[in-house]
């Protein structure tokens, strides 16, 4: 099995020694005042424009991390695709890739289905940020091993579980992103993505 | 600006998902609705499983068959000599039985025990009874005075005679005792629990398994710690149970149910509390020692275990999710997880059911062997003291040995009365039993050291 | 900036190359190559970490600083009174020191202890020494007679005087002791281990943590159980360590190192073996009891724990994989996992390092408190017997109390000599200590019961 998952129920998100759980309230809280009124969902035109902008942004994110030629050589563009092979370009993702191939989700969800927001805007923004982190980590080899998911990405993940499984968890309040009320799927289903880690 | 937009976008999406979270409220249910059948109309799945707590099934060391412990293991008759528990002490069973079992136990029916209304706090849907009595006794009205009303009513009911108090209630623990009707959020309300957990929060004992307490302390002990607003949902999934599955005593003339947590949750910390306040449950009939009775310290034991530290809640194992058609719900058929390993354990432990059962049984069997060893030691001590009394040893001479009995018996009973047969915290339970054995044997040594004197004293 | 970018590019290229994981065999290495430096040419990464076992670093209850246990906790001087361990008993350290530490301990240098060559089985790269001696003593040549050669050589070396036998070797445990040179597969070869594990296989004790033994039994006990062909790779990752990290004694005149596993691996099963064969390690100097010494039963204790049952091997924690560039190699810097929590534990337990350490320390502190309690009980018993001897109690009178000392001390030492301070099997260690305490106190009771008689006897 997996283990230790429960810990995140105590401290949603992975905790640095001096962080308090409140620091981990990483998902946007509803801003105060007038902003609470829902904004209209972008029309398809604006959407496309935003997407293009974001692709650029995420490319820049990667670029900032590794620079142009390196970006090319490191197959940076594939990073923007949905193909899990893009992830395993980095041997560091090998373990998760191998696990994923054996996992119950293999046929139904790719890495990005779980690890990037399903809305296009969030998707490329996340990619931009993670692209930067991953490239930096990979290049400098200064990341914590084993890799442990960061609070922000854990929230993305939770949102994705819920959005696919909204029906089955319909009877339960899931509160994604609220560190106090969230029912952390991974507390019990640690192994869904890449199989058991032991 | 783009970022802000995106965040909002994200936010809307989340709320859309939550909005689907619909339930058909076919009847109006509020905090005054005591009858679970009414709630059940809105939540038929939970209600169905709730009703199934009438089921009877036995496991190797647990389960829900109300057999008589005193027949099963007669040493306990001797250990409880002179106390109500020495007359009737059964294996506990499903929640459905809590009220009738209490009404029918010889510990209540036998008039010599004179039980108070305090007993009811954990055996019935008391919330509304407390509020009613509280209001009657002059507690301020209004939702904002909810806690004061409950507390007042609690004080009134605790000191009533049991026979009278029990007429105030008709249901075992019900929806309203764990849920807030409006949101269905979990909520705690038992006065003894609130007082107890606040005392614990004020202590400086680490509570790694209850991060909200540590946070409250770090934030400067503002006001009183309030589980209903401070605790995470995951903590609440244990705290609702900790309202009842804990060690307690009735304090003073008011018979207030009290949880002895001021110095911490460990066996010796609770003991030190009782020593400080000079509490004893009874004078042992055979040995004359002032002894303590331990009752179902599940919450306390769980607190020392690795599951608690890993954030695994009571409800995770005892009320696991269960598929009901297309959705999953919390099983309200609260019972031994060993009757339901697939849901209760296997999502976290991906190993075969037989292996899970084998692991539990190996932990429990080890614990049982130590319990047997401890029982033998404690009973030997009781015998030794009784023997010395016969030979004329004085109370002053026997004091040290009787103190040892108090310590040993308290520890032994703590593990025995805890209902998981060591599973909730295996190493801790073994440690406690090791101490029980040590103290019991030391008590015997004290008696034996007296022997010549006692012999002299009793010599004609 | 361009330069920086190019360097980064270079960096990625290197990593891609590394990922291909080639081993360049630069020198010829075979099973006769004793010198690890030669193997190290082919496997520089493993060799580098292997050499780092010289490092010295302390943890709360372990680590690699060779402090004197007898000074740290002087009760052990008294518990070991009359035995070599009472003169010099240190905290063990890295593999690099095993040979010099043995040569230099007072248990060897003090001529009165007359140690045999048997000691070396676990303190040196013995494989080729055994084969050489075996062939010399007439064992059949040829690869197919490998085991017979080793066994023969083992018999020859065990009974040699230590001073002579130690000249046969020059390296601490080395590559060839764990690896087959051709394939680099793990391989066990220590005769005492092979004999011991086969005896265990022939018993009917369940071994859920060693599935290959259960399989061998199920397949009808064909021939001898052979770890090198029957065990899984994951099992081998523990069995190579179980060659040495186990309880042992020297059997008979031949001083054959022997692992007492015929009745099982639990503390009382090993004891029953020693009782059957009438073994004692020494007569206690103060109390006259025939007592046993326990030595590093890591394998036995691990066997009772939840990690073993979950298939977690010694190497998983003590030789975790570690990234070296793009490939992962087993850290041959065998040491306390607490010095390396990220690799040793976090691969499986994705929780913060501080929390992992806190969990271990909480387990170990509990164990330490029980150990202290047990030491007090055992020492009290020793004192009581000695006292009774002074008063003239006879050997016949003292026999039952001395038997209790044997049982109590054996258990206490088993947990104390095991080097994880209870971590490898927390509940089991606590159970053993509870028994130790019980037996020690019972021994005292037996002595005290004698007292009047003894007094009478010694009265003039
Ligand atoms: Ca039960
Ligand atoms: Ca050491």
């Amino acid at each position: 099995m997996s283990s230790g998952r429960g810990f995140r129920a105590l401290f949603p998100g992975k905790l640095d020694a001096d962080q308090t759980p409140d620091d981990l309230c990483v998902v946007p809280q509803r801003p105060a005042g007038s902003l609470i009124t829902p904004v209209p969902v972008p029309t398809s035109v604006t959407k496309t424009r935003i997407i293009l902008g974001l692709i650029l942004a995420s490319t820049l994110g990667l670029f900032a991390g590794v620079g142009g030629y390196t970006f090319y050589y490191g197959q940076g563009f594939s990073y923007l695709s949905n193909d899990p092979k893009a992830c395993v370009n980095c041997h560091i993702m090998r373990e998760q890739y191998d696990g994923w191939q054996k996992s119950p989700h293999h046929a139904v969800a790719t890495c990005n289905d779980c690890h990037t927001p399903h809305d296009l805007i969030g998707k490329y923004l996340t990619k931009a940020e993670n692209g930067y982190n991953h490239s930096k980590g990979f290049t400098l080899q200064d990341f914590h091993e084993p890799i442990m998911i960061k609070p922000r990405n854990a929230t993305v993940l939770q949102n994705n579980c819920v959005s696919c499984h909204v029906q089955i968890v319909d009877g339960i309040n899931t509160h994604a992103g609220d560190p106090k009320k969230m029912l952390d799927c991974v507390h019990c289903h640690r192994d869904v993505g890449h199989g058991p880690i032991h | 600006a783009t970022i802000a937009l995106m965040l909002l976008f994200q936010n809307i999406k989340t709320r859309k998902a939550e909005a689907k979270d619909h339930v058909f409220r076919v009847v109006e249910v509020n905090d005054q609705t005591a009858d679970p059948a009414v709630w059940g109309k809105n939540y038929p799945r939970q209600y169905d499983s709730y009703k199934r707590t009438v089921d009877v099934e036995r496991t190797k060391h647990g389960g829900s068959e109300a057999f008589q412990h005193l027949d099963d293991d007669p040493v306990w008759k001797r250990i409880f000599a002179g106390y109500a528990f020495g007359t009737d002490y059964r294996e506990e069973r499903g929640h459905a039985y809590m009220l009738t079992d209490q009404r029918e136990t010889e510990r209540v029916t036998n008039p010599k025990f004179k039980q108070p209304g305090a007993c009811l706090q954990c055996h019935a849907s008391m919330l509304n009874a407390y509020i009613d009595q509280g209001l009657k006794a002059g507690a301020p009205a209004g939702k904002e005075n909810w806690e004061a009303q409950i507390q007042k009513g609690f004080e009134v009911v605790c000191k009533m005679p049991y026979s009278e108090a029990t007429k105030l209630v008709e249901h075992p623990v019900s929806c309203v005792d764990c849920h807030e009707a409006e949101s269905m959020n979990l909520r705690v309300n038992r006065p003894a629990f609130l007082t107890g957990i606040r005392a614990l929060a004020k202590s400086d004992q680490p509570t790694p398994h209850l991060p909200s307490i540590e946070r409250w302390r770090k934030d400067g002990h503002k006001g009183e710690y309030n589980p209903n607003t401070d605790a995470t949902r995951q903590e609440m999934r244990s705290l609702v149970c900790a309202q009842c599955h804990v060690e307690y005593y009735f304090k003073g003339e008011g018979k207030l149910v009290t949880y002895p947590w001021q110095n911490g949750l460990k066996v010796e910390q609770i003991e030190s509390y009782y020593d400080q306040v000079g509490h004893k449950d009874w004078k042992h009939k055979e040995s004359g020692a002032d002894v303590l009775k331990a009752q179902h310290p599940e919450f306390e034991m769980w607190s020392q275990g690795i599951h608690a530290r890993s954030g695994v809640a009571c409800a995770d194992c005892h009320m696991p999710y269960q598929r009901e058609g297309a959705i999953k719900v919390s099983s309200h058929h609260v019972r031994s997880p060993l009757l339901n390993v697939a849901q209760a354990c296997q999502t976290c432990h991906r190993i075969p059911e037989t292996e899970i059962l084998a692991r539990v049984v190996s932990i429990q069997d080890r614990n049982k062997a130590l319990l047997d060893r401890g029982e033998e030691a404690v009973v030997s001590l009781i015998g030794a003291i009784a023997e010395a009394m016969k030979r004329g040893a004085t109370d002053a001479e026997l004091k040290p040995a009787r103190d040892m009995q108090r310590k040993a018996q308290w520890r032994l009973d703590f593990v025995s009365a805890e209902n998981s047969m060591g599973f909730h915290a295996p190493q801790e339970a073994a440690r406690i039993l090791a101490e029980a054995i040590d103290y019991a044997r030391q008590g015997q040594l004290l008696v034996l050291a007296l022997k010549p004197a006692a012999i002299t004293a009793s010599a004609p």
Side-chain angles (χ1 to χ4, degrees), chain A residues 133-146:
Chain A
N133 281 339
H134 297 192
S135 309
K136 181 176 130 301
F138 182 72
T139 308
L140 302 177
Q141 295 279 303
D142 66 345
F143 54 93
H144 180 277
E145 275 196 276

Side-chain angles (χ1 to χ4, degrees), chain B residues 57 59 61-67 69 91-94 336 419:
Chain B
E57 206 167 334
T59 61
H61 296 283
S64 48
E65 202 182 290
F67 61 86
H69 282 297
E91 172 63 17
E92 85 290 5
R93 47 183 171 163
S336 165
N419 286 290

